[in-house]
Amino acid sequence: MSKGSPGPTPGFLVWRLANKWRVAVDRAVTPLGLTHAQYSLVASLHGMQRAGERPSQRRLADHTGLEALYVSKLARALESAGLVERTRDPRDPRAVQLALTEQGQAITRQAIAVVQELHQQLLEPLGGLDAPRTRAFTEELTTLLDVPLAPSLPINKSTQEPTP
């Protein structure tokens, strides 16, 4: 919290909400053998496959906002579990393409249904998933997510302030 504001800062609230939702999704998808991060990966992959895409790990990382190395680690674990297939891209031998297996598709459909129900519950204070307040909230979050991060400035160790 900052000295100038009487209550929590927006950043603190976003952080708290993100943690609360992550824990809730983790609990909801654990019976299906998934973590929240794995769910994010398979649900995104499911949507991309439905749109006719067989994304690379890099493309999926860009889509989810996760680090490429983390997506690679998650994809390997999901491959070991029989949910994801990893293959070399015939156009770029350095790239690895991802696809859900039949088992992965079945688990993902179940997980999506569970998480949609959870989101309905979590968004009930705003009127539920399809409410105008939820749509406005989603638009505000999208606006904030669309702003690129500025490169960090090096810190002057003697003054502990950003160096111009």
Side-chain angles (χ1 to χ4, degrees), residues 140-156:
E140 297 290 352
L141 291 171
T142 301
T143 298
L144 293 174
L145 285 169
D146 285 346
V147 176
L149 290 176
S152 22
L153 295 172
I155 300 292
N156 181 330

PDB file of all heavy atoms in Angstrom, residues 140-156:
ATOM      1  N   GLU A 140     -12.187  -3.505 -18.695  1.00  0.00           N
ATOM      2  CA  GLU A 140     -11.171  -2.759 -17.930  1.00  0.00           C
ATOM      3  C   GLU A 140      -9.898  -3.596 -17.771  1.00  0.00           C
ATOM      4  O   GLU A 140      -8.788  -3.091 -17.952  1.00  0.00           O
ATOM      5  CB  GLU A 140     -11.702  -2.353 -16.553  1.00  0.00           C
ATOM      6  CG  GLU A 140     -12.885  -1.408 -16.592  1.00  0.00           C
ATOM      7  CD  GLU A 140     -12.537  -0.002 -17.082  1.00  0.00           C
ATOM      8  OE1 GLU A 140     -11.353   0.329 -17.274  1.00  0.00           O
ATOM      9  OE2 GLU A 140     -13.478   0.788 -17.275  1.00  0.00           O
ATOM     10  N   LEU A 141     -10.052  -4.871 -17.435  1.00  0.00           N
ATOM     11  CA  LEU A 141      -8.886  -5.745 -17.292  1.00  0.00           C
ATOM     12  C   LEU A 141      -8.153  -5.883 -18.623  1.00  0.00           C
ATOM     13  O   LEU A 141      -6.914  -5.836 -18.670  1.00  0.00           O
ATOM     14  CB  LEU A 141      -9.309  -7.125 -16.770  1.00  0.00           C
ATOM     15  CG  LEU A 141      -9.808  -7.175 -15.333  1.00  0.00           C
ATOM     16  CD1 LEU A 141     -10.387  -8.552 -15.015  1.00  0.00           C
ATOM     17  CD2 LEU A 141      -8.701  -6.806 -14.352  1.00  0.00           C
ATOM     18  N   THR A 142      -8.894  -6.024 -19.710  1.00  0.00           N
ATOM     19  CA  THR A 142      -8.291  -6.143 -21.033  1.00  0.00           C
ATOM     20  C   THR A 142      -7.508  -4.887 -21.377  1.00  0.00           C
ATOM     21  O   THR A 142      -6.395  -4.963 -21.914  1.00  0.00           O
ATOM     22  CB  THR A 142      -9.376  -6.425 -22.090  1.00  0.00           C
ATOM     23  OG1 THR A 142     -10.043  -7.643 -21.737  1.00  0.00           O
ATOM     24  CG2 THR A 142      -8.790  -6.553 -23.483  1.00  0.00           C
ATOM     25  N   THR A 143      -8.063  -3.734 -21.056  1.00  0.00           N
ATOM     26  CA  THR A 143      -7.363  -2.468 -21.298  1.00  0.00           C
ATOM     27  C   THR A 143      -6.020  -2.459 -20.575  1.00  0.00           C
ATOM     28  O   THR A 143      -4.987  -2.095 -21.151  1.00  0.00           O
ATOM     29  CB  THR A 143      -8.221  -1.271 -20.833  1.00  0.00           C
ATOM     30  OG1 THR A 143      -9.422  -1.250 -21.602  1.00  0.00           O
ATOM     31  CG2 THR A 143      -7.476   0.046 -20.977  1.00  0.00           C
ATOM     32  N   LEU A 144      -6.020  -2.860 -19.316  1.00  0.00           N
ATOM     33  CA  LEU A 144      -4.776  -2.876 -18.536  1.00  0.00           C
ATOM     34  C   LEU A 144      -3.787  -3.912 -19.082  1.00  0.00           C
ATOM     35  O   LEU A 144      -2.583  -3.659 -19.144  1.00  0.00           O
ATOM     36  CB  LEU A 144      -5.074  -3.158 -17.066  1.00  0.00           C
ATOM     37  CG  LEU A 144      -5.858  -2.066 -16.330  1.00  0.00           C
ATOM     38  CD1 LEU A 144      -6.229  -2.520 -14.931  1.00  0.00           C
ATOM     39  CD2 LEU A 144      -5.067  -0.766 -16.294  1.00  0.00           C
ATOM     40  N   LEU A 145      -4.290  -5.068 -19.495  1.00  0.00           N
ATOM     41  CA  LEU A 145      -3.403  -6.112 -20.022  1.00  0.00           C
ATOM     42  C   LEU A 145      -2.820  -5.754 -21.381  1.00  0.00           C
ATOM     43  O   LEU A 145      -1.744  -6.227 -21.744  1.00  0.00           O
ATOM     44  CB  LEU A 145      -4.156  -7.441 -20.115  1.00  0.00           C
ATOM     45  CG  LEU A 145      -4.387  -8.143 -18.781  1.00  0.00           C
ATOM     46  CD1 LEU A 145      -5.376  -9.293 -18.954  1.00  0.00           C
ATOM     47  CD2 LEU A 145      -3.076  -8.637 -18.198  1.00  0.00           C
ATOM     48  N   ASP A 146      -3.516  -4.911 -22.144  1.00  0.00           N
ATOM     49  CA  ASP A 146      -3.048  -4.526 -23.477  1.00  0.00           C
ATOM     50  C   ASP A 146      -1.915  -3.501 -23.439  1.00  0.00           C
ATOM     51  O   ASP A 146      -1.258  -3.272 -24.459  1.00  0.00           O
ATOM     52  CB  ASP A 146      -4.202  -3.984 -24.318  1.00  0.00           C
ATOM     53  CG  ASP A 146      -5.123  -5.084 -24.813  1.00  0.00           C
ATOM     54  OD1 ASP A 146      -4.740  -6.276 -24.740  1.00  0.00           O
ATOM     55  OD2 ASP A 146      -6.240  -4.754 -25.261  1.00  0.00           O
ATOM     56  N   VAL A 147      -1.673  -2.889 -22.294  1.00  0.00           N
ATOM     57  CA  VAL A 147      -0.604  -1.888 -22.184  1.00  0.00           C
ATOM     58  C   VAL A 147       0.728  -2.623 -22.070  1.00  0.00           C
ATOM     59  O   VAL A 147       0.913  -3.434 -21.161  1.00  0.00           O
ATOM     60  CB  VAL A 147      -0.807  -0.978 -20.954  1.00  0.00           C
ATOM     61  CG1 VAL A 147       0.355  -0.012 -20.793  1.00  0.00           C
ATOM     62  CG2 VAL A 147      -2.121  -0.229 -21.047  1.00  0.00           C
ATOM     63  N   PRO A 148       1.652  -2.371 -22.999  1.00  0.00           N
ATOM     64  CA  PRO A 148       2.951  -3.061 -22.912  1.00  0.00           C
ATOM     65  C   PRO A 148       3.734  -2.572 -21.705  1.00  0.00           C
ATOM     66  O   PRO A 148       3.607  -1.421 -21.277  1.00  0.00           O
ATOM     67  CB  PRO A 148       3.652  -2.691 -24.213  1.00  0.00           C
ATOM     68  CG  PRO A 148       2.932  -1.514 -24.750  1.00  0.00           C
ATOM     69  CD  PRO A 148       1.566  -1.474 -24.135  1.00  0.00           C
ATOM     70  N   LEU A 149       4.518  -3.478 -21.154  1.00  0.00           N
ATOM     71  CA  LEU A 149       5.381  -3.106 -20.042  1.00  0.00           C
ATOM     72  C   LEU A 149       6.532  -2.264 -20.563  1.00  0.00           C
ATOM     73  O   LEU A 149       7.147  -2.602 -21.575  1.00  0.00           O
ATOM     74  CB  LEU A 149       5.946  -4.352 -19.356  1.00  0.00           C
ATOM     75  CG  LEU A 149       4.969  -5.192 -18.562  1.00  0.00           C
ATOM     76  CD1 LEU A 149       5.674  -6.441 -18.032  1.00  0.00           C
ATOM     77  CD2 LEU A 149       4.381  -4.396 -17.410  1.00  0.00           C
ATOM     78  N   ALA A 150       6.817  -1.184 -19.864  1.00  0.00           N
ATOM     79  CA  ALA A 150       7.966  -0.364 -20.221  1.00  0.00           C
ATOM     80  C   ALA A 150       9.222  -1.086 -19.736  1.00  0.00           C
ATOM     81  O   ALA A 150       9.191  -1.770 -18.708  1.00  0.00           O
ATOM     82  CB  ALA A 150       7.859   1.009 -19.558  1.00  0.00           C
ATOM     83  N   PRO A 151      10.330  -0.941 -20.466  1.00  0.00           N
ATOM     84  CA  PRO A 151      11.552  -1.574 -19.982  1.00  0.00           C
ATOM     85  C   PRO A 151      11.938  -0.980 -18.627  1.00  0.00           C
ATOM     86  O   PRO A 151      11.729   0.206 -18.373  1.00  0.00           O
ATOM     87  CB  PRO A 151      12.592  -1.237 -21.051  1.00  0.00           C
ATOM     88  CG  PRO A 151      11.964  -0.246 -21.955  1.00  0.00           C
ATOM     89  CD  PRO A 151      10.500  -0.193 -21.670  1.00  0.00           C
ATOM     90  N   SER A 152      12.470  -1.817 -17.746  1.00  0.00           N
ATOM     91  CA  SER A 152      12.840  -1.293 -16.431  1.00  0.00           C
ATOM     92  C   SER A 152      14.095  -0.452 -16.536  1.00  0.00           C
ATOM     93  O   SER A 152      14.969  -0.715 -17.338  1.00  0.00           O
ATOM     94  CB  SER A 152      13.037  -2.399 -15.415  1.00  0.00           C
ATOM     95  OG  SER A 152      13.302  -3.618 -15.978  1.00  0.00           O
ATOM     96  N   LEU A 153      14.109   0.569 -15.709  1.00  0.00           N
ATOM     97  CA  LEU A 153      15.272   1.449 -15.659  1.00  0.00           C
ATOM     98  C   LEU A 153      16.268   0.881 -14.663  1.00  0.00           C
ATOM     99  O   LEU A 153      15.880   0.366 -13.615  1.00  0.00           O
ATOM    100  CB  LEU A 153      14.851   2.855 -15.206  1.00  0.00           C
ATOM    101  CG  LEU A 153      13.917   3.621 -16.142  1.00  0.00           C
ATOM    102  CD1 LEU A 153      13.435   4.895 -15.478  1.00  0.00           C
ATOM    103  CD2 LEU A 153      14.638   3.945 -17.431  1.00  0.00           C
ATOM    104  N   PRO A 154      17.558   0.995 -14.956  1.00  0.00           N
ATOM    105  CA  PRO A 154      18.543   0.537 -13.980  1.00  0.00           C
ATOM    106  C   PRO A 154      18.471   1.408 -12.725  1.00  0.00           C
ATOM    107  O   PRO A 154      18.190   2.600 -12.792  1.00  0.00           O
ATOM    108  CB  PRO A 154      19.884   0.695 -14.697  1.00  0.00           C
ATOM    109  CG  PRO A 154      19.613   1.571 -15.876  1.00  0.00           C
ATOM    110  CD  PRO A 154      18.145   1.516 -16.160  1.00  0.00           C
ATOM    111  N   ILE A 155      18.708   0.812 -11.571  1.00  0.00           N
ATOM    112  CA  ILE A 155      18.654   1.533 -10.304  1.00  0.00           C
ATOM    113  C   ILE A 155      20.056   2.030  -9.939  1.00  0.00           C
ATOM    114  O   ILE A 155      21.019   1.278  -9.971  1.00  0.00           O
ATOM    115  CB  ILE A 155      18.121   0.606  -9.167  1.00  0.00           C
ATOM    116  CG1 ILE A 155      16.720   0.113  -9.483  1.00  0.00           C
ATOM    117  CG2 ILE A 155      18.173   1.297  -7.822  1.00  0.00           C
ATOM    118  CD1 ILE A 155      15.650   1.183  -9.469  1.00  0.00           C
ATOM    119  N   ASN A 156      20.130   3.324  -9.605  1.00  0.00           N
ATOM    120  CA  ASN A 156      21.386   3.905  -9.115  1.00  0.00           C
ATOM    121  C   ASN A 156      21.546   3.428  -7.670  1.00  0.00           C
ATOM    122  O   ASN A 156      20.769   3.810  -6.786  1.00  0.00           O
ATOM    123  CB  ASN A 156      21.313   5.429  -9.196  1.00  0.00           C
ATOM    124  CG  ASN A 156      22.591   6.094  -8.719  1.00  0.00           C
ATOM    125  OD1 ASN A 156      23.293   5.584  -7.861  1.00  0.00           O
ATOM    126  ND2 ASN A 156      22.866   7.258  -9.288  1.00  0.00           N
TER     127      ASN A 156
END
